[in-house]
Amino acid sequence: MEYERILIRYGEISTKGRNRNKFVEKLKKSVRIALTPFPNVKVEASRDRMYVLLNGENGAEVIGKLKNIFGIQSFSPAIKVERSIEVLKQTSLELVRSLYKEGQTFKVTPKRSDKGFELDTDGINHTIGGYLLQNIPGIKVDVKHPDINLRIEVRKEAIYLSCETIQGAGGLPVGSSGKGMLMLSGGIDSPVAGYLAMKRGVEVEAVHFFSPPFTSERSKEKVIDLSKKLAEIYGSMTLHIVPFTDIQQTIREQVPENYSMTSTRRMMLRITDEIRKKHDGLAIITGESLGQVASQTLESMFAINEVSNTPILRPLITMDKTDIIKIAQEIDTLEISNRPFEDCCTIFVPASPKTKPKREKVQRYESFFDFEPLIHEAVQETETIVIKPDNKQRIEFSELF
């Protein structure tokens, strides 16, 4: 039996009060963007439910897209029937019979949102369950672990039937929590941090620091490919590519080696903050995990954070590396991150970086040189690319901001 629609259930959105409609609209936008390849699909949303009307489109392919959309708790391919007991009985029989294999069990799970319907939940259960037992030889009831769970939802406008509940990605719709700038390196951690921030409703734009000739075009392609993976969630990803060579070389010349990493991170944060201001972001997102490397000790974070008052989101801060790698595998970024092309974070790494840097010292070292013109120039020459998940990309601003 072919399904005509997909019923989407809200998760955390359902706990929202007066502003629930805002979250529903964000989710509706996400669904529409994800289903752009299916021109006949229509999306209908109410305060309690959302429906995707297939209108002849491939249901399996649509389901594959819906699985990745944040804000969806679960969804079910469904059939809509009129509010008639006889029609309900016959359609239920056709649906279960199309799925039934010899020896399988079933149960009926009714939900009567409209209390005016002539049968209550027990009545629906007994009427439909009895009809199936009479008309499908060999089928048995198992209320705890059924092979087929026939869900019947009675609403004011119609009755909806489904036999499959598919888990969604959960979280909140992308964009419902504002915009943040993701400091995206070519490593394993930062794409995972971006993914988790998006799951909490943050619209993410990525900032990558590029230092040719010390970093190659292949390292740039690597970051673009990581952005494409993240773009699959929302339909696009804006990537800001910052020319960082001059600043890195100046730090190498002006700052003592064991403090060069601290200073480098401070300059990156300052530049990211300026780009955030230009693009109306509210936060900066990093892939830092506490104690993982020298620049991610609390002392290092304390020294680095000084240059910005912007909220810094660190979704991975308490996670083990093995847990981060597991998520990277699930979102299909691990293989890309493991490509052997250095980014600017891995070049000029000192032999003994300071793990407990002092703010006063790094301030003093940076005071001997005016970095402001270099920072301004890097921001002005930043290239912005809009990445599309269908492997197409276009230059949005190749000129100066």
Side-chain angles (χ1 to χ4, degrees):
M1 177 173 278
E2 289 189 8
Y3 294 101
E4 64 172 8
R5 65 184 57 213
I6 296 173
L7 183 154
I8 294 174
R9 301 178 188 87
Y10 307 141
E12 197 171 335
I13 292 176
S14 300
T15 66
K16 304 301 177 183
R18 295 179 180 178
N19 62 346
R20 183 191 295 192
N21 288 340
K22 182 190 80 170
F23 289 87
V24 171
E25 283 302 312
K26 289 288 186 182
L27 178 57
K28 187 177 181 181
K29 180 180 178 182
S30 293
V31 171
R32 281 178 169 167
I33 290 172
L35 299 185
T36 300
F38 308 96
N40 295 322
V41 157
K42 293 192 179 301
V43 182
E44 297 178 354
S46 68
R47 181 177 173 83
D48 301 313
R49 289 285 188 273
M50 188 174 293
Y51 299 95
V52 175
L53 308 182
L54 294 174
N55 294 322
E57 296 286 1
N58 188 310
E61 292 182 4
V62 171
I63 286 171
K65 294 288 186 181
L66 293 177
K67 286 180 179 179
N68 297 322
I69 299 175
F70 292 129
I72 297 177
Q73 184 66 26
S74 66
F75 57 94
S76 298
I79 299 169
K80 179 183 179 182
V81 299
E82 62 181 274
R83 290 161 50 94
S84 160
I85 294 175
E86 287 305 314
V87 173
L88 175 59
K89 287 163 64 175
Q90 190 57 40
T91 307
S92 297
L93 177 61
E94 292 175 10
L95 177 56
V96 174
R97 187 179 276 164
S98 70
L99 299 171
Y100 174 69
K101 295 178 182 178
E102 187 175 352
Q104 286 188 327
T105 60
F106 84 103
K107 82 168 185 176
V108 177
T109 304
K111 180 179 180 181
R112 192 175 61 134
S113 300
D114 177 18
K115 305 304 180 185
F117 188 64
E118 55 193 292
L119 294 177
D120 60 14
T121 53
D122 286 340
I124 296 171
N125 204 337
H126 293 145
T127 301
I128 303 303
Y131 191 74
L132 296 176
L133 287 169
Q134 291 172 8
N135 290 277
I136 303 178
I139 198 168
K140 294 181 180 180
V141 175
D142 184 344
V143 295
K144 291 186 177 180
H145 305 288
D147 297 305
I148 300 171
N149 185 1
L150 174 62
R151 296 179 180 272
I152 300 173
E153 183 171 355
V154 179
R155 300 182 69 82
K156 287 185 177 181
E157 73 280 4
I159 299 175
Y160 298 92
L161 306 177
S162 63
C163 282
E164 184 180 10
T165 299
I166 302 167
Q167 285 302 118
L172 295 172
V174 172
S176 61
S177 298
K179 183 192 291 186
M181 316 306 290
L182 170 66
M183 297 177 70
L184 182 64
S185 69
I188 296 171
D189 299 343
S190 55
V192 175
Y195 171 82
L196 293 178
M198 293 173 81
K199 187 171 184 177
R200 296 310 304 159
V202 180
E203 178 187 350
V204 170
E205 293 188 8
V207 178
H208 176 67
F209 293 87
F210 185 51
S211 297
F214 306 106
T215 55
S216 67
E217 284 295 322
R218 299 294 294 274
S219 71
K220 184 177 177 180
E221 291 173 12
K222 177 179 173 181
V223 170
I224 289 174
D225 287 343
L226 288 171
S227 299
K228 287 177 183 176
K229 287 296 179 183
L230 295 177
E232 291 175 3
I233 298 170
Y234 190 61
S236 67
M237 167 67 69
T238 299
L239 172 63
H240 306 282
I241 301 177
V242 181
F244 200 55
T245 308
D246 290 347
I247 292 177
Q248 275 201 281
Q249 287 182 311
T250 303
I251 291 171
R252 191 182 186 189
E253 295 167 0
Q254 299 292 330
V255 177
E257 186 183 34
N258 60 348
Y259 267 84
S260 62
M261 183 180 293
T262 303
S263 186
T264 297
R265 297 295 190 275
R266 283 163 61 95
M267 298 302 163
M268 287 179 171
L269 191 56
R270 289 175 65 179
I271 291 169
T272 302
D273 208 15
E274 291 301 316
I275 295 173
R276 174 198 63 78
K277 293 175 187 176
K278 289 180 177 288
H279 294 272
D280 301 318
L282 299 174
I284 295 171
I285 305 155
T286 76
E288 292 166 310
S289 176
L290 189 61
Q292 191 176 123
V293 295
S295 64
Q296 296 177 21
T297 63
L298 278 181
E299 291 86 355
S300 289
M301 293 180 195
F302 183 74
I304 294 167
N305 281 16
E306 181 198 19
V307 301
S308 173
N309 291 323
T310 300
I312 299 178
L313 309 183
R314 296 182 172 93
L316 314 183
I317 194 68
T318 62
M319 294 179 65
D320 293 337
K321 190 69 173 183
T322 52
D323 296 327
I324 298 170
I325 290 173
K326 182 179 179 182
I327 297 175
Q329 289 174 323
E330 291 171 356
I331 66 175
D332 200 25
T333 58
L334 182 63
E335 184 179 347
I336 301 171
S337 295
N338 281 333
R339 292 177 190 170
F341 307 116
E342 286 193 314
D343 56 43
C344 68
C345 296
T346 57
I347 62 173
F348 303 155
V349 175
S352 300
K354 205 74 174 173
T355 58
K356 297 182 179 181
K358 303 296 183 184
R359 276 186 176 182
E360 300 77 15
K361 285 191 175 182
V362 71
Q363 289 169 353
R364 180 170 176 272
Y365 297 143
E366 290 175 359
S367 69
F368 296 132
F369 185 87
D370 184 6
F371 284 93
E372 199 61 42
L374 291 179
I375 290 172
H376 179 75
E377 182 180 1
V379 173
Q380 291 298 312
E381 295 185 0
T382 293
E383 176 187 33
T384 297
I385 305 174
V386 176
I387 306 291
K388 298 291 184 178
D390 59 356
N391 296 328
K392 294 179 182 178
Q393 65 198 58
R394 59 188 173 86
I395 302 297
E396 185 77 357
F397 303 106
S398 58
E399 69 272 15
L400 305 184
F401 283 128

